[in-house]
Amino acid sequence: MPDKRFEDRVVLVTGGGTGIGQSIALAFAREGALVVVAGRRTQELKQTVVLAREEGGRADACTVDVTDEEQVAGLMGTILDRYGALHVACNNAGVPGSGRMLHEFGAEDWRRVTDTNLQGVWLSMRHQIPVMLKQGSGAVVNVASIAGIVGYLNAAPYTAAKHGVVGLTRTAAIDYGPAGIRVNAVCPGPVLTPMLEQARRDRGPSADEFYLRNIPLGRLARPEEVASAVLWLSSDSASYVTGQALAVDGGWTAQ
């Protein structure tokens, strides 16, 4: 049986309907959390809730677009009305943006990627942190990417946004550490998810060779491996860890 490190804690996971977000939500539920999964795709969110409940966990779903501040504020209001607290927030919602050189991306593509991957994280934190300030504690984990630590071939808007997420994480850790709030990021390498499948299509036949030649462990990550890192950063075991960008990348950024 898994440890119950998050017994009775309220946890929010954005982008919780598929891939990494779903794995994170299910991992929190297994460890006793009351998990709220949020995102744009209602059916996928409901499926995560079903899976969590089938394993004996507690979960709820809220449809929200993290690029819309009114919806983000409404989400936080709903969480407080239903559960009265927010102990952990994992800001995972994101979209892909790769496969072309910088000058080949148009303004619409740039906004689509940065609005979700960067502004969506900022808006989420903007409404999560006041709740944690009132509580006097909390943990935020933002899902960035190795593209937030190093340059990433043919992914200018994605890389810019994920570097921004790492910067937001570090600044928030400094700003809110005195108030008892820890803020960290995980930076996954390529992970076996639907988003990676989209990136593979964008990059074409050479995609897998590009990924694998850069990973010393010689394989792609599983979503649950990223989830394990998120849970550790959110837990009391990481009580003295804040402002960090933890690479979960099979060694990619060690080179």
Side-chain angles (χ1 to χ4, degrees):
M1 294 293 292
D3 294 333
K4 296 293 185 180
R5 291 178 291 178
F6 300 94
E7 190 75 52
D8 296 326
R9 296 190 189 182
V10 180
V11 175
L12 168 64
V13 180
T14 69
T18 59
I20 293 172
Q22 184 179 79
S23 282
I24 292 168
L26 295 177
F28 272 119
R30 291 185 197 107
E31 296 211 18
L34 196 163
V35 183
V36 178
V37 289
R40 288 181 289 197
R41 293 177 290 182
T42 303
Q43 288 306 119
E44 285 83 351
L45 297 173
K46 288 181 178 179
Q47 181 61 28
T48 300
V49 170
V50 168
L51 292 172
R53 291 176 179 173
E54 285 177 349
E55 295 184 7
R58 294 176 296 167
D60 198 359
C62 291
T63 304
V64 63
D65 182 345
V66 297
T67 70
D68 184 319
E69 184 163 15
E70 185 175 345
Q71 292 187 39
V72 173
L75 170 65
M76 287 310 308
T78 297
I79 290 172
L80 289 177
D81 287 345
R82 291 180 183 175
Y83 310 114
L86 178 66
H87 301 102
V88 177
C90 178
N91 297 311
N92 167 75
V95 296
S98 63
R100 285 173 280 169
M101 297 180 72
L102 183 149
H103 72 279
E104 296 172 325
F105 284 97
E108 185 176 342
D109 292 321
W110 178 272
R111 284 191 296 269
R112 177 185 63 83
V113 175
T114 59
D115 281 359
T116 299
N117 292 358
L118 179 54
Q119 182 163 305
V121 173
W122 169 68
L123 285 175
S124 296
M125 292 172 69
R126 185 170 187 267
H127 290 274
Q128 294 158 359
I129 286 175
V131 176
M132 295 178 178
L133 287 171
K134 290 180 181 178
Q135 295 170 173
S137 65
V140 177
V141 179
N142 297 320
V143 178
S145 166
I146 56 171
I149 300 175
V150 297
Y152 204 71
L153 179 69
N154 290 348
Y158 188 83
T159 302
K162 293 300 187 178
H163 269 70
V165 170
V166 171
L168 279 177
T169 297
R170 290 172 173 157
T171 299
I174 296 166
D175 286 350
Y176 301 109
I181 300 169
R182 297 186 303 105
V183 187
N184 291 289
V186 292
C187 297
V191 183
L192 291 164
T193 64
M195 185 181 289
L196 183 69
E197 290 306 312
Q198 178 62 55
R200 279 170 155 164
R201 289 191 291 271
D202 290 343
R203 288 187 179 276
S206 64
D208 284 354
E209 192 275 331
F210 164 68
Y211 297 135
L212 294 176
R213 75 167 180 259
N214 286 296
I215 302 173
L217 286 184
R219 64 174 177 83
L220 304 179
R222 301 185 302 274
E224 56 267 28
E225 292 175 306
V226 181
S228 293
V230 171
L231 264 67
W232 179 73
L233 286 171
S234 304
S235 74
D236 293 340
S237 297
S239 58
Y240 201 60
V241 179
T242 195
Q244 300 306 302
L246 176 61
V248 185
D249 65 354
W252 185 308
T253 58
Q255 302 172 89

